[in-house]
Amino acid sequence: NGLNEYNGEWYFLSNGQIQRTHRGLAEYDGEWFYIENGKLVPTVNGLVEYDGGLFVFAEGRLCKEANGLWQDPADETWYFLSNGQVQTQHTGVAMYDGAFFYVIDGKLASDYNGTIEYDGAVFNVVAGQLYDQVA
């Protein structure tokens, strides 16, 4: 049962048979992998919708280590992640590379210009990045 290797390919089995209709995720050795037609798909990279969420994959593996702001190479959009999942419920501030950014529904608010309150102060925001404190 589960993921098993045969001749260099990984298959999802149940009761010793490949589950060719299985599409989704399968766990192996504490990691999650993307499966289509009962076979691991190592070419899956980037964001994948699964079970109502958006998850980041690299070479077919769910990137649970992906936390914080992450840029999708496909369209260059920035997302806020926790354990490899886009946190669509998060609206607030996220830090990246020593700077602070405004996130709305798990996505960098790159088109937002204005002010926001953060940590008891008001900050000026330009293209989603927090700059100077204004109050």
Side-chain angles (χ1 to χ4, degrees):
N1 290 332
L3 279 177
N4 289 273
E5 181 187 15
Y6 178 73
N7 284 342
E9 302 284 345
W10 288 86
Y11 297 92
F12 181 73
L13 282 73
S14 179
N15 295 320
Q17 294 183 332
I18 297 173
Q19 300 302 300
R20 297 206 185 271
T21 60
H22 181 71
R23 181 179 185 200
L25 302 183
E27 184 180 17
Y28 179 80
D29 199 23
E31 299 287 342
W32 289 91
F33 296 89
Y34 189 77
I35 308 297
E36 278 187 10
N37 302 318
K39 187 176 177 182
L40 187 145
V41 185
T43 57
V44 170
N45 294 297
L47 291 175
V48 173
E49 286 189 51
Y50 178 75
D51 198 26
L54 270 175
F55 297 84
V56 175
F57 281 80
E59 297 180 348
R61 183 184 64 83
L62 173 63
C63 297
K64 294 187 304 184
E65 69 277 8
N67 295 294
L69 285 175
W70 172 83
Q71 188 178 32
D72 183 357
D75 65 5
E76 298 185 352
T77 300
W78 288 85
Y79 294 91
F80 181 72
L81 308 174
S82 178
N83 296 319
Q85 182 176 8
V86 176
Q87 299 300 299
T88 57
Q89 79 284 1
H90 178 69
T91 295
V93 174
M95 189 171 106
Y96 178 79
D97 201 21
F100 290 91
F101 296 88
Y102 186 43
V103 173
I104 298 175
D105 298 330
K107 188 175 173 182
L108 176 66
S110 58
D111 58 349
Y112 182 82
N113 297 297
T115 60
I116 64 163
E117 186 176 331
Y118 171 66
D119 201 23
V122 177
F123 290 86
N124 191 29
V125 178
V126 177
Q129 184 173 352
L130 278 69
Y131 284 99
D132 51 332
Q133 183 177 339
V134 294

